[in-house]
Amino acid sequence: MQQERYYSVRMRAARNGTYEGDGKHISGGELLSTYNNIKQAVNALLDKALTHSRGNPDFMQIQFEAITEPIECIPPLTIKTHEVESADRGKELSQELLAKAGIQRKVIEKAYRYLEKYSNMRGAMLVDIHSGERVDDRGSKGVRVSRMDWLNDNFEKWAAHYGLPNHSRMKEALILASKVSAYPATVAELCWSDDPEYITGYVASKEMGYQRINKLKEYGDEQGCRIFFVDASREWDRYLYYLEKQPVFIHWEGKRDGECEDG
Ligand code: PML
Ligand code: MG
């Protein structure tokens, strides 16, 4: 069980932004922190937003709140990296992987078309696997998956075990993908960054794991993507609660270190 009280620490930064959430999205971030580490957590999020290649923010919000619910422990997805020679091939491969995860071709194509319609998304779009319709009603805000983290010591052991770099962007994305795919209403996720200097993305699902693709767009492109393919007929309110509010630690059991063992 978790002994200590944890706090959810969140950041959102925008250009020409306001409290209402308009403007160009620059950066967002999520951490879970003990009280003693809040200053460090806030600084990490501040740094992330102040040095972002999408530009300098003129609006930023950093907030923390105590977590009162029990924190769920979830294992990281398995991970595999595909090297492709072009963004076009990367996109093709992402569609093949989504099809393998059980998404119909016509639904995949429809979802790709939403990217042109919603080009300044902050959170995820949720697309129904049956109809291909976007089923969240959040506009460009999308659904923001929140309240999740992976303790550094455990992440570093995991990364060393698999010979992977200690890479904060991959860590953040894998935390989110592992949390999202653990809920049965999620069938698969497609994601690449809106950072013009970062072109790696992934397709994830509980069965397939986290399938990284080294090129899913061209350098300089600020169009990001985060789509959850969902079975919208299932427990909708509980699903949204899980994504936005259920606190989760990712924990790798390869080498036990005392955290989350019974959690
Ligand atoms: C993001 O930065 O918003 C998403 C990054 C996705 C890919 C991360 C990786 O595995 O390298
Ligand atoms: Mg981003």
Side-chain angles (χ1 to χ4, degrees):
M1 297 290 282
Q2 300 299 319
Q3 300 297 315
E4 267 180 290
R5 165 164 271 199
Y6 277 90
Y7 294 76
S8 154
V9 190
R10 295 151 58 94
M11 174 277 290
R12 140 175 113 73
R15 191 162 177 80
N16 300 320
T18 65
Y19 282 101
E20 281 68 51
D22 44 12
K24 175 186 176 185
H25 172 70
I26 299 291
S27 179
E30 297 285 340
L31 293 170
L32 297 181
S33 169
T34 56
Y35 191 81
N36 287 340
N37 277 327
I38 286 178
K39 206 187 257 185
Q40 210 181 314
V42 168
N43 277 335
L45 293 173
L46 186 63
D47 252 18
K48 183 181 178 194
L50 290 179
T51 55
H52 207 283
S53 27
R54 283 176 67 80
N56 293 344
D58 55 19
F59 172 89
M60 193 186 309
Q61 211 180 0
I62 299 185
Q63 66 182 65
F64 76 86
E65 64 183 325
I67 288 179
T68 50
E69 305 89 331
I71 304 180
E72 207 176 301
C73 262
I74 287 179
L77 287 170
T78 56
I79 183 166
K80 177 176 169 138
T81 302
H82 303 264
E83 305 278 339
V84 293
E85 66 292 343
S86 68
D88 283 346
R89 176 61 201 131
K91 288 212 165 89
E92 244 173 54
L93 177 59
S94 73
Q95 301 192 359
E96 288 160 19
L97 291 169
L98 287 167
K100 203 168 149 197
I103 320 290
Q104 297 170 64
R105 285 281 175 180
K106 62 173 197 262
V107 171
I108 300 171
E109 281 157 23
K110 203 164 170 181
Y112 261 92
R113 288 199 294 274
Y114 290 131
L115 298 177
E116 288 147 36
K117 193 164 165 198
Y118 303 100
S119 58
N120 185 33
M121 291 288 297
R122 302 198 328 251
M125 276 190 253
L126 273 56
V127 169
D128 179 42
I129 51 156
H130 305 290
S131 63
E133 292 295 314
R134 184 172 172 194
V135 282
D136 64 280
D137 55 0
R138 306 284 179 80
S140 61
K141 194 172 164 214
V143 174
R144 176 170 177 172
V145 185
S146 190
R147 299 183 155 205
M148 58 202 169
D149 208 337
W150 188 348
L151 295 176
N152 254 330
D153 282 2
N154 187 260
F155 170 73
E156 281 163 16
K157 277 183 202 157
W158 171 89
H161 181 85
Y162 290 106
L164 290 162
N166 184 348
H167 192 311
S168 67
R169 191 186 293 267
M170 183 188 73
K171 178 185 173 195
E172 285 171 23
L174 185 53
I175 291 171
L176 186 147
S178 301
K179 177 179 176 182
V180 171
S181 65
Y183 201 91
T186 310
V187 180
E189 179 190 355
L190 169 66
C191 170
W192 64 83
S193 182
D194 55 7
D195 181 334
E197 291 176 5
Y198 200 80
I199 61 172
T200 297
Y202 65 89
V203 172
S205 81
K206 194 166 172 138
E207 284 73 35
M208 269 186 339
Y210 183 86
Q211 303 261 346
R212 302 177 82 209
I213 301 173
N214 69 327
K215 285 191 193 90
L216 265 176
K217 66 173 194 181
E218 304 294 345
Y219 281 108
D221 184 351
E222 292 205 341
Q223 172 73 62
C225 164
R226 178 157 268 139
I227 298 176
F228 302 157
F229 292 89
V230 303
D231 184 348
S233 57
R234 297 175 71 133
E235 329 158 293
W236 192 244
D237 291 343
R238 269 192 63 199
Y239 183 43
L240 287 181
Y241 176 86
Y242 173 82
L243 296 175
E244 296 178 325
K245 298 270 193 286
Q246 171 64 51
V248 161
F249 266 125
I250 304 307
H251 186 76
W252 180 61
E253 290 287 341
K255 280 185 188 156
R256 285 180 172 265
D257 62 2
E259 289 279 354
C260 286
E261 283 186 354
D262 310 305

